Amino acid sequence: MKDRYLKIDDVLVIIKISRATLYRLAKKEKLLKPIKVGGSSFWSQNNLDYYFDGLKQKNLSA
């Protein structure tokens, strides 16, 4: 599957959290770390999907 790379504003539209919260999560969760290119940060759509699929599975098994 081809991956898309999203800018922070696109990520925040998808998951509805603040910038500060996204960066806090990125410090804790390896899958949510951005890719740095020059002075910009980009997030992998595949990594975001994988992370949230994992959260769904945890909630379903709890």
Side-chain angles (χ1 to χ4, degrees), residues 22-43:
L22 178 60
Y23 280 108
R24 262 195 308 276
L25 281 171
K27 277 187 166 183
K28 293 167 66 174
E29 299 292 335
K30 186 176 184 178
L31 284 176
L32 294 180
K33 291 200 183 306
I35 298 164
K36 302 283 187 170
V37 178
S40 299
S41 297
F42 297 91
W43 280 261

Side-chain angles (χ1 to χ4, degrees), residues 1-2 5 8-10 12-13 17 19-20 23 26-27 29-30 32 35-37 41 43-44 46-47 49 59 61:
M1 174 194 289
K2 189 160 174 98
Y5 292 93
I8 191 166
D9 290 334
D10 299 324
L12 298 177
V13 166
I17 59 174
R19 286 176 188 262
Y23 280 108
K27 277 187 166 183
E29 299 292 335
K30 186 176 184 178
L32 294 180
I35 298 164
K36 302 283 187 170
V37 178
S41 297
W43 280 261
S44 162
N46 288 348
N47 285 356
D49 292 343
N59 286 330
S61 64

Side-chain angles (χ1 to χ4, degrees), residues 29 31 46-62:
E29 299 292 335
L31 284 176
N46 288 348
N47 285 356
L48 291 169
D49 292 343
Y50 185 75
Y51 174 75
F52 287 106
D53 285 345
L55 288 178
K56 287 179 198 174
Q57 293 301 318
K58 284 182 186 178
N59 286 330
L60 291 175
S61 64

